[in-house]
Amino acid sequence: MTHMTLNVNGSPHALELEPDMPLLYALRNHLGLNGAKYGCGLGQCGACTVLVDDQPVFSCLTPCSGLEGKAIRTVESLGTAERPGPLQKAFIETQAAQCGYCIAGMLMRAQTLLERDPHPDEATVREHMASNLCRCGTHLRIIAAIGRVARQERSAP
Amino acid sequence: MKARQLWMGAVLLAVVGAIVAVLLMWRPAIVPATAPQRFEAAQVQRGARVAEAGDCAVCHTRPGGRYLAGGLALVTPFGTLYSTNITPDAETGIGQWSLPAFERAMREGVARDGHLLYPAFPYAYYRRMTDGDIADVYAYLMSGPAVHSPALQNRMNFPMNIRPLVSFWNLLFLHGQPLTPVAQQSATWNRGRYLVEGPGHCAGCHSPLNPLGAEKSAQHLAGGMVDGWQAPSLLGLANRTTPWSREQLTGYLRAEVVEGHGTAAGPMRPVSLSLGNMPASDAEAIADYLLSLKDPAPIAPAAATARPAEVVEQAPGAQLFQSACAACHGPAAPMRQIDGRPALERTSALQAASARNFLKTVLEGVPVTPGLPGPVMPPFAASLDNQQLAALAAFLREQASPGQPWADLSSTLHELRQEAQ
């Protein structure tokens, strides 16, 4: 066990962890942040996607040992059930979730794109989202939801 | 009297100089083709194969962009170029190019309107193609959908932003002639040679470049650098510590994961995907030709004495391998059993003398190819820091090449992170 401090959603958390523990386990089991999901454990599905220093990572394959001093963000940082963020709102309005298991990862990956490029075209969205899979097959609605945010922000004053 | 003669001489020299410069730099426009052309389906189909062989789409399609509509940034030591639209759009593509105009571009590097193309467009290799192949690929390009997509402004440094200067480059380096088959060799070998030296323009990446960005002809196919990746030497592939078999090389060239070498990553990935769209016989022919190339100066494996003073500790790397890599690359990993992920110690990247390609692959991964199930490897640039990557590389290198550690891990990683900025 090693003592380490992880900065998650803007707050420091002092933790006792095995250094090679994947970030996903620390988030879910030690911090109670259950948004990110365990999907394949192989970096092939994207259900565990969270942000490290504004970049999407597969938290199931990211050991905690290198993360001290980095800004980790999870889906919980985007908003709450009562006050969903713009991207979460668009997912709800588009009914982009079926079973919902992939959605936290989808939201976080989409978030990185919108932070970098607030008005991506659909081809860019598709390319960016290609590494996150939805077994229910709601990809088209997920892409539509992201497009809705891109357009909303464009028409905003 | 004397002054007058000198003056006359100077004027004469200037006039002759100007004439030579104009002759060298000026190329006439070729009249626009106006009538829409129709081609036989068989010719268009043959042209599709030539387009794959020449990797047209690899440069002329930007990520997420329309097929062959250009816009991919090519970062060169001389500035940044953007590939152009080669769809038959009359205004922004090559819709007004007649076959003679297209052939001149392919062999001389001159656009229809007479401006000189930059040698990043590999006309130095395409000029070796047969008339038939050039006509076929023309038919293919002119039969595709026209996409309106204006060229992006190149950002070339002075003086390479002055296009007519390319004429001097051409004078110095544009010597390749159409290839004539070698009678003593098989038809397959000759086909492979044609694909490698002509349309495939392998030497464009796999040869070292001189300061003017032209191939060092004495080191043809002896390895080069492209986009921060090492394009390995293609000489002596059959006689290495871990030699390539014909079957392995054919599979690798077709983007498969092959036992003993792994799969193509980086800039070779789209090239191998393109080759995968061609008949397998073409990849076999390339393999035949490449495996016949001898290495005149094989690089001796680094002696064990090259070991750096400090002994690299293996435990941290082993631990990182378990948490970040083993799910796909561990001995019992399902992805290895079911989906052919390679054992890392048996990949070309880990057996190479430089750590660069291994580190690049871990940093960038192997991206998703739309329409194909895989293989896909996630990028680890944001997941692992330099210290972790160095530990991981040291551990895996020891598995692959015991007693020959990579000596330059920290500095290579530092460079790669800088290049990625």
Side-chain angles (χ1 to χ4, degrees):
Chain A
M1 289 291 211
T2 311
H3 179 80
M4 60 180 86
T5 304
L6 296 184
N7 184 319
V8 183
N9 298 335
S11 321
H13 297 271
L15 296 166
E16 294 289 326
L17 300 172
E18 293 292 345
D20 59 341
M21 173 184 277
L23 172 60
L24 178 65
Y25 299 180
L27 294 173
R28 292 179 60 89
N29 302 344
H30 292 257
L31 297 174
L33 296 168
N34 291 318
K37 301 288 188 285
Y38 182 92
C40 64
L42 304 166
Q44 303 285 313
C45 79
C48 67
T49 305
V50 302
L51 309 191
V52 173
D53 284 351
D54 305 331
Q55 296 296 316
V57 302
F58 297 124
S59 61
C60 72
L61 294 179
T62 301
C64 286
S65 52
L67 295 173
E68 279 196 299
K70 296 191 172 177
I72 298 158
R73 282 192 285 160
T74 69
V75 71
E76 286 85 354
S77 71
L78 297 187
T80 61
E82 295 74 38
R83 292 175 65 89
L87 192 55
Q88 290 170 315
K89 228 167 134 196
F91 270 61
I92 296 165
E93 283 163 4
T94 318
Q95 288 292 287
Q98 189 167 325
C99 86
Y101 200 80
C102 69
I103 295 296
M106 293 283 183
L107 283 164
M108 293 317 282
R109 179 166 296 276
Q111 180 70 17
T112 58
L113 174 63
L114 294 170
E115 286 177 9
R116 199 177 63 224
D117 171 7
H119 310 299
D121 58 19
E122 192 183 308
T124 310
V125 172
R126 281 171 178 263
E127 202 202 338
H128 180 81
M129 298 302 294
S131 56
N132 283 42
L133 305 180
C134 165
R135 278 199 68 170
C136 303
T138 65
H139 287 281
L140 293 177
R141 289 195 178 195
I142 290 167
I143 289 162
I146 300 165
R148 184 187 280 240
V149 177
R151 284 190 302 277
Q152 267 172 10
E153 291 191 357
R154 197 190 287 277
S155 56
Chain B
M1 197 63 186
K2 190 104 178 179
R4 192 187 157 85
Q5 270 178 353
L6 269 175
W7 192 80
M8 289 287 282
V11 168
L12 197 69
L13 208 67
V15 169
V16 170
I19 290 171
V20 169
V22 165
L23 284 178
L24 203 62
M25 296 176 182
W26 181 79
R27 294 288 179 277
I30 292 178
V31 282
T34 44
Q37 306 175 75
R38 294 197 64 82
F39 302 94
E40 275 180 43
Q43 187 182 23
V44 173
Q45 210 164 14
R46 287 198 306 273
R49 181 170 167 186
V50 180
E52 295 289 11
D55 295 316
C56 307
V58 172
C59 287
H60 284 282
T61 306
R62 75 168 172 84
R66 298 283 302 274
Y67 180 64
L68 298 178
L72 181 80
L74 302 167
V75 181
T76 77
F78 313 103
T80 300
L81 286 167
Y82 292 92
S83 62
T84 51
N85 181 349
I86 54 168
T87 70
D89 183 54
E91 200 185 322
T92 63
I94 59 168
Q96 294 188 10
W97 292 38
S98 60
L99 177 58
F102 181 75
E103 182 156 5
R104 183 175 70 167
M106 294 287 278
R107 297 202 192 279
E108 310 291 333
V110 181
R112 186 200 64 77
D113 65 5
H115 79 260
L116 299 186
L117 301 168
Y118 285 113
F121 170 60
Y123 55 93
Y125 304 95
Y126 289 165
R127 67 191 277 118
R128 299 194 177 118
M129 291 169 65
T130 61
D131 292 345
D133 271 1
I134 289 183
D136 289 349
V137 76
Y138 176 75
Y140 172 72
L141 294 175
M142 298 309 268
S143 306
V147 179
H148 185 88
S149 176
L152 299 173
Q153 191 72 45
N154 292 330
R155 286 177 285 123
M156 293 298 273
N157 307 327
F158 181 83
M160 291 313 281
N161 55 351
I162 305 166
R163 279 186 184 266
L165 292 182
V166 174
S167 57
F168 293 102
W169 192 96
N170 292 340
L171 197 65
L172 290 169
F173 304 115
L174 195 60
H175 306 304
Q177 294 300 318
L179 294 167
T180 43
V182 177
Q184 304 91 302
Q185 295 284 0
S186 68
T188 308
W189 184 93
N190 274 302
R191 169 78 180 154
R193 173 170 170 252
Y194 174 74
L195 289 170
V196 167
E197 308 290 356
H201 63 284
C202 303
C205 294
H206 286 276
S207 297
L209 301 182
N210 66 23
L212 289 173
E215 182 190 331
K216 288 183 182 167
S217 49
Q219 294 174 58
H220 184 61
L221 296 177
M225 287 281 283
V226 58
D227 296 345
W229 292 74
Q230 217 159 29
S233 168
L234 303 181
L235 306 177
L237 290 176
N239 306 308
R240 301 215 171 148
T241 326
T242 46
W244 287 80
S245 71
R246 183 180 195 245
E247 197 190 353
Q248 287 170 333
L249 192 51
T250 303
Y252 183 88
L253 287 166
R254 293 171 59 77
E256 292 165 15
V257 184
V258 298
E259 174 63 28
H261 294 283
T263 195
M268 188 61 195
R269 185 103 209 124
V271 173
S272 61
L273 288 166
S274 211
L275 282 167
N277 291 334
M278 295 169 67
S281 60
D282 280 336
E284 284 163 9
I286 293 174
D288 265 5
Y289 173 66
L290 290 179
L291 291 171
S292 77
L293 301 177
K294 302 278 178 286
D295 191 350
I299 303 152
T305 49
R307 182 189 281 272
E310 89 272 32
V311 177
V312 185
E313 212 194 320
Q314 297 288 298
Q319 211 169 48
L320 283 163
F321 176 80
Q322 277 309 320
S323 53
C325 321
C328 288
H329 296 289
M335 292 298 279
R336 199 157 139 195
Q337 309 301 324
I338 301 165
D339 208 30
R341 292 298 181 279
L344 294 180
E345 65 277 12
R346 291 177 48 72
T347 59
S348 300
L350 271 158
Q351 286 151 7
S354 155
R356 199 166 249 272
N357 285 3
F358 168 74
L359 295 172
K360 283 285 265 187
T361 308
V362 180
L363 287 167
E364 296 175 18
V366 175
V368 178
T369 307
L372 286 183
V376 174
M377 170 169 159
F380 284 86
S383 295
L384 299 174
D385 64 22
N386 285 4
Q387 206 184 341
Q388 290 174 311
L389 286 164
L392 188 61
F395 165 70
L396 288 168
R397 173 68 175 174
E398 185 61 25
Q399 314 284 307
S401 304
Q404 297 172 44
W406 281 319
D408 48 357
L409 283 172
S410 310
S411 58
T412 310
L413 274 163
H414 185 73
E415 267 173 50
L416 292 176
R417 295 278 192 184
Q418 296 263 302
E419 287 167 16
Q421 292 282 304

